[in-house]
Amino acid sequence: MSIKKLALITTLVSSFFLTGCDDKQSAVSDNKSEEPTQVSTVKVGVISGPEQEVAEVVKQQAKELYNLDVELVIFNDYVTPNQALNDGLIDINAFQHKPYLDEQIKERGYKLAVVGNSFVYPIASYSHKLKPIDNATETDEGVKVTSPRGETFFIATNSTIAIPNDPTNLGRALLLLQHEGMITVDKTKGLLPTVLDITSNPYNYKIVELEAPMLPRSLDDAQIDLAIINNAFAGQANLTPSKDGIFVEDKESPYVNIIVAREADKDNENVKNFVKAYQTDAVAQKADQIFNGGAIRGW
């Protein structure tokens, strides 16, 4: 074969391959342009029941505002959601307060991070004996407190106050009493003080520890002037913080519920958009309705 014929064949073959590649590149490019925009999706762990109902509204808000698809993964206990998040089975969870998360991280070594606040489901004080007062000067010593409704109540010296006896809610109750200026507790005890850690009780309040389920019934006890009851047991007695509470935890409570992601994902755009979707008026209104005024927005 002549050199000229060989050169011609080489040129034709090269031309064929180059053209074929260009056609394939064009086809790939055309196919890409026809592909729909991918929608982001996150899996979010929540607890079944009322919090799941709130999360359904978050799901709607995420889709409408950020084109973010939320797949809710429902749990029936308070241990599994953090394990699932740490293991990558879900992307976010929203069910716990920070003291609980801190304890889980300490015990299990999870690499989890708080990415936002949701609601405070407040512990509150209730009474069947105390009535609102006007601005008249009280002759007895004690502490004036303001209810969520703007009413003023007077808690006199030597009043008896019932509180939960389990460590978390006991500490939470004592910190609430401290917040209202009724007692002070040892700061070194953090979120878990006991009655032995009360460092000042100027009005000689008598603190009685009871099993949490007994606290609503204690309101009818002639010896009890005030009881501090967590949301679950107050709700069973048709008591709500906003309508019936004498004084109530606010959004600054260390027990505000939180939204949690893995540390590696805390700055992820989908995670940020989920938090923004959660912290909307629509979600707050639904929570207020579901919890009958027993949910305080924590943001």
Side-chain angles (χ1 to χ4, degrees):
M1 184 181 293
S2 70
I3 294 177
K4 286 185 177 180
K5 286 184 179 181
L6 181 60
L8 177 60
I9 292 171
T10 301
T11 301
L12 288 173
V13 171
S14 298
S15 176
F16 170 78
F17 279 113
L18 288 171
T19 303
C21 288
D22 287 343
D23 289 342
K24 289 179 181 177
Q25 297 258 359
S26 176
V28 171
S29 178
D30 289 344
N31 287 338
K32 283 186 177 178
S33 66
E34 292 172 2
E35 288 178 358
T37 302
Q38 295 299 311
V39 177
S40 297
T41 303
V42 291
K43 291 184 178 181
V44 179
V46 296
I47 302 298
S48 62
E51 292 179 44
Q52 180 182 348
E53 294 181 57
V54 173
E56 291 288 353
V57 181
V58 181
K59 179 177 178 177
Q60 295 170 7
Q61 291 290 291
K63 182 64 175 177
E64 291 174 10
L65 299 176
Y66 304 105
N67 199 29
L68 177 64
D69 280 344
V70 174
E71 178 185 338
L72 296 178
V73 180
I74 311 305
F75 294 91
N76 294 306
D77 69 275
Y78 291 96
V79 176
T80 313
N82 281 332
Q83 181 73 59
L85 178 58
N86 191 72
D87 292 348
L89 301 178
I90 58 176
D91 304 300
I92 301 167
N93 67 38
F95 77 99
Q96 64 195 315
H97 51 58
K98 192 170 184 298
Y100 180 79
L101 174 65
D102 288 344
E103 190 63 24
Q104 287 267 292
I105 290 174
K106 180 180 176 181
E107 289 181 0
R108 300 167 183 257
Y110 293 148
K111 302 297 183 182
L112 306 179
V114 178
V115 292
N117 291 347
S118 59
F119 294 97
V120 179
Y121 299 102
I123 198 168
S125 62
Y126 302 91
S127 176
H128 286 173
K129 298 181 179 64
L130 300 181
K131 304 299 179 185
I133 63 170
D134 56 24
N135 293 324
T137 302
E138 295 290 336
T139 57
D140 198 4
E141 290 187 347
V143 174
K144 289 182 181 180
V145 297
T146 302
S147 77
R149 303 167 299 285
E151 299 168 326
T152 301
F153 290 83
F154 183 75
I155 305 168
T157 298
N158 298 317
S159 292
T160 299
I161 302 169
I163 64 174
N165 68 353
D166 62 283
T168 298
N169 285 310
L170 186 153
R172 194 173 179 180
L174 293 176
L175 291 174
L176 180 59
L177 292 174
Q178 177 173 257
H179 183 269
E180 296 300 322
M182 299 170 67
I183 63 171
T184 57
V185 298
D186 185 347
K187 292 181 179 179
T188 66
K189 301 302 178 179
L191 297 176
L192 295 173
T194 70
V195 292
L196 298 177
D197 301 313
I198 296 174
T199 56
S200 175
N201 184 1
Y203 302 105
N204 196 35
Y205 292 126
K206 298 178 178 65
I207 309 295
V208 177
E209 299 177 43
L210 298 175
E211 294 286 341
M214 296 176 58
L215 288 165
R217 295 197 297 273
S218 77
L219 296 174
D220 295 320
D221 188 318
Q223 304 299 317
I224 303 298
D225 299 294
L226 187 78
I228 296 180
I229 310 173
N230 67 17
N231 225 5
F233 293 108
Q236 292 176 13
N238 296 317
L239 298 170
T240 62
S242 61
K243 297 177 182 177
D244 307 296
I246 305 299
F247 52 88
V248 181
E249 279 181 325
D250 59 22
K251 69 177 184 178
E252 303 303 324
S253 168
Y255 294 94
V256 61
N257 273 27
I258 51 180
I259 303 165
V260 179
R262 287 180 293 279
E263 284 183 356
D265 296 331
K266 63 183 180 181
D267 296 319
N268 182 283
E269 194 66 22
N270 289 341
V271 171
K272 290 181 178 180
N273 285 338
F274 177 82
V275 173
K276 288 188 284 187
Y278 207 120
Q279 297 177 345
T280 56
D281 289 342
V283 174
Q285 290 165 9
K286 185 65 174 180
D288 186 68
Q289 173 191 337
I290 291 172
F291 290 96
N292 194 24
I296 299 172
R297 64 175 76 192
W299 61 89

Short mmCIF file of all heavy atoms in Angstrom, two decimals, residues 40-41 46-47 57 102 114 145 178 188 202 209 212 214 225 231 250 261 271 276 285:
data_model
loop_
_atom_site.label_atom_id
_atom_site.label_comp_id
_atom_site.label_asym_id
_atom_site.label_seq_id
_atom_site.Cartn_x
_atom_site.Cartn_y
_atom_site.Cartn_z
N SER A 40 -33.97 18.49 46.76
CA SER A 40 -33.24 18.03 47.93
C SER A 40 -34.19 17.31 48.89
O SER A 40 -35.36 17.68 49.02
CB SER A 40 -32.58 19.21 48.64
OG SER A 40 -31.64 19.83 47.81
N THR A 41 -33.68 16.30 49.57
CA THR A 41 -34.48 15.52 50.52
C THR A 41 -33.69 15.32 51.81
O THR A 41 -32.49 15.08 51.77
CB THR A 41 -34.84 14.14 49.94
OG1 THR A 41 -35.53 14.30 48.71
CG2 THR A 41 -35.73 13.35 50.91
N VAL A 46 -38.68 12.16 64.36
CA VAL A 46 -39.56 12.81 65.34
C VAL A 46 -40.28 11.72 66.15
O VAL A 46 -40.32 10.56 65.74
CB VAL A 46 -40.61 13.73 64.67
CG1 VAL A 46 -39.92 14.89 63.96
CG2 VAL A 46 -41.49 12.96 63.70
N ILE A 47 -40.86 12.14 67.26
CA ILE A 47 -41.58 11.21 68.13
C ILE A 47 -43.05 11.17 67.71
O ILE A 47 -43.64 12.20 67.39
CB ILE A 47 -41.47 11.64 69.61
CG1 ILE A 47 -39.99 11.69 70.02
CG2 ILE A 47 -42.25 10.68 70.51
CD1 ILE A 47 -39.25 10.38 69.94
N VAL A 57 -46.44 20.03 59.56
CA VAL A 57 -46.51 21.42 59.09
C VAL A 57 -45.13 21.91 58.69
O VAL A 57 -44.98 22.63 57.69
CB VAL A 57 -47.12 22.34 60.18
CG1 VAL A 57 -47.23 23.78 59.68
CG2 VAL A 57 -48.49 21.82 60.60
N ASP A 102 -26.83 16.37 75.82
CA ASP A 102 -25.49 16.39 76.43
C ASP A 102 -25.21 15.08 77.16
O ASP A 102 -24.09 14.55 77.09
CB ASP A 102 -25.37 17.56 77.42
CG ASP A 102 -25.30 18.91 76.72
OD1 ASP A 102 -25.05 18.94 75.49
OD2 ASP A 102 -25.53 19.94 77.39
N VAL A 114 -26.17 20.84 67.94
CA VAL A 114 -27.43 21.62 67.91
C VAL A 114 -27.38 22.58 66.74
O VAL A 114 -26.42 23.34 66.59
CB VAL A 114 -27.61 22.40 69.23
CG1 VAL A 114 -28.89 23.23 69.18
CG2 VAL A 114 -27.61 21.46 70.42
N VAL A 145 -45.19 37.34 91.79
CA VAL A 145 -44.84 36.77 90.49
C VAL A 145 -45.90 37.18 89.48
O VAL A 145 -47.03 37.52 89.85
CB VAL A 145 -44.72 35.23 90.56
CG1 VAL A 145 -43.60 34.82 91.50
CG2 VAL A 145 -46.05 34.60 90.97
N GLN A 178 -35.78 29.61 91.53
CA GLN A 178 -34.68 30.58 91.58
C GLN A 178 -34.90 31.71 90.59
O GLN A 178 -34.65 32.88 90.90
CB GLN A 178 -33.35 29.87 91.29
CG GLN A 178 -32.16 30.82 91.26
CD GLN A 178 -30.85 30.07 91.14
OE1 GLN A 178 -30.12 29.92 92.12
NE2 GLN A 178 -30.52 29.61 89.95
N THR A 188 -22.73 25.43 91.20
CA THR A 188 -21.86 24.35 90.74
C THR A 188 -22.64 23.08 90.41
O THR A 188 -22.09 22.16 89.82
CB THR A 188 -20.78 24.04 91.78
OG1 THR A 188 -21.40 23.49 92.96
CG2 THR A 188 -20.00 25.28 92.15
N PRO A 202 -35.00 32.81 101.79
CA PRO A 202 -35.32 33.89 102.74
C PRO A 202 -36.77 33.91 103.22
O PRO A 202 -37.06 34.50 104.27
CB PRO A 202 -34.99 35.15 101.95
CG PRO A 202 -35.07 34.74 100.51
CD PRO A 202 -34.61 33.33 100.48
N GLU A 209 -41.22 17.07 97.96
CA GLU A 209 -40.99 16.29 96.74
C GLU A 209 -42.04 15.18 96.62
O GLU A 209 -42.25 14.42 97.56
CB GLU A 209 -39.59 15.67 96.77
CG GLU A 209 -38.46 16.68 96.85
CD GLU A 209 -37.11 16.00 96.95
OE1 GLU A 209 -36.89 15.01 96.22
OE2 GLU A 209 -36.28 16.46 97.76
N ALA A 212 -44.14 12.62 90.17
CA ALA A 212 -44.72 13.54 89.19
C ALA A 212 -46.21 13.30 88.93
O ALA A 212 -46.98 14.28 88.85
CB ALA A 212 -43.93 13.47 87.89
N MET A 214 -48.47 12.46 90.89
CA MET A 214 -49.28 12.89 92.04
C MET A 214 -49.44 14.40 92.12
O MET A 214 -50.31 14.89 92.85
CB MET A 214 -48.63 12.39 93.34
CG MET A 214 -48.58 10.88 93.49
SD MET A 214 -47.70 10.39 95.00
CE MET A 214 -48.68 11.22 96.26
N ASP A 225 -49.75 24.78 98.80
CA ASP A 225 -50.16 26.08 98.27
C ASP A 225 -49.89 26.20 96.77
O ASP A 225 -50.60 26.92 96.05
CB ASP A 225 -49.39 27.20 99.00
CG ASP A 225 -49.70 27.22 100.49
OD1 ASP A 225 -50.85 27.51 100.84
OD2 ASP A 225 -48.79 26.92 101.29
N ASN A 231 -45.31 19.48 81.71
CA ASN A 231 -46.38 19.62 80.74
C ASN A 231 -47.22 18.35 80.57
O ASN A 231 -48.44 18.42 80.44
CB ASN A 231 -45.77 20.02 79.38
CG ASN A 231 -46.54 21.14 78.72
OD1 ASN A 231 -47.47 21.68 79.29
ND2 ASN A 231 -46.15 21.48 77.52
N ASP A 250 -39.74 30.34 80.43
CA ASP A 250 -39.83 31.11 79.19
C ASP A 250 -38.86 30.55 78.15
O ASP A 250 -38.25 29.50 78.35
CB ASP A 250 -39.55 32.60 79.44
CG ASP A 250 -38.18 32.86 80.05
OD1 ASP A 250 -37.27 32.01 79.89
OD2 ASP A 250 -38.00 33.91 80.68
N ALA A 261 -28.33 17.81 64.26
CA ALA A 261 -27.76 17.14 63.09
C ALA A 261 -26.39 16.58 63.48
O ALA A 261 -25.90 16.83 64.58
CB ALA A 261 -27.62 18.12 61.92
N VAL A 271 -29.94 21.35 55.93
CA VAL A 271 -30.16 21.42 57.37
C VAL A 271 -30.58 22.84 57.76
O VAL A 271 -31.55 23.03 58.52
CB VAL A 271 -28.88 21.01 58.13
CG1 VAL A 271 -29.02 21.29 59.63
CG2 VAL A 271 -28.58 19.53 57.89
N LYS A 276 -35.02 26.78 59.27
CA LYS A 276 -35.80 27.98 58.91
C LYS A 276 -37.27 27.62 58.69
O LYS A 276 -38.16 28.39 59.05
CB LYS A 276 -35.20 28.66 57.69
CG LYS A 276 -33.88 29.37 57.97
CD LYS A 276 -33.39 30.20 56.80
CE LYS A 276 -32.81 29.36 55.70
NZ LYS A 276 -32.18 30.19 54.62
N GLN A 285 -48.07 28.46 65.19
CA GLN A 285 -49.53 28.47 65.36
C GLN A 285 -50.08 27.06 65.51
O GLN A 285 -50.97 26.81 66.33
CB GLN A 285 -50.17 29.19 64.18
CG GLN A 285 -49.92 30.69 64.16
CD GLN A 285 -50.23 31.33 62.83
OE1 GLN A 285 -50.80 30.70 61.93
NE2 GLN A 285 -49.87 32.59 62.68
#
